[in-house]
Amino acid sequence: MVRYVYTAWRSWLAVRPQYRELRPRLFIAAPATVAFALGWLFGHTVAVVPHPYQRQAGETCTSS
């Protein structure tokens, strides 16, 4: 799955060269191992971004 997402992103960029210099950001609800693997493929950087709907420490969010 990680390689598929990476390949799809690269294919998207190939037909849109004007976006080639953008820093890729991918917000996913997946295990950390998936996020770190994608970060490695996208340029060896990963930044954890807090979920915007988490209200209190330890409280989980249910999305519809």
Side-chain angles (χ1 to χ4, degrees), residues 13-46:
L13 281 179
V15 297
R16 294 167 184 87
Q18 67 271 26
Y19 298 114
R20 197 171 295 272
E21 296 302 317
L22 291 179
R23 181 178 175 193
R25 293 175 186 230
L26 182 63
F27 296 88
I28 60 174
T33 53
V34 172
F36 290 126
L38 281 169
W40 184 83
L41 287 172
F42 281 136
H44 306 288
T45 58
V46 175

Side-chain angles (χ1 to χ4, degrees), residues 38-63:
L38 281 169
W40 184 83
L41 287 172
F42 281 136
H44 306 288
T45 58
V46 175
V48 177
V49 178
H51 193 284
Y53 300 110
Q54 190 172 6
R55 297 182 192 159
Q56 296 176 9
E59 181 182 355
T60 59
C61 176
T62 55
S63 301

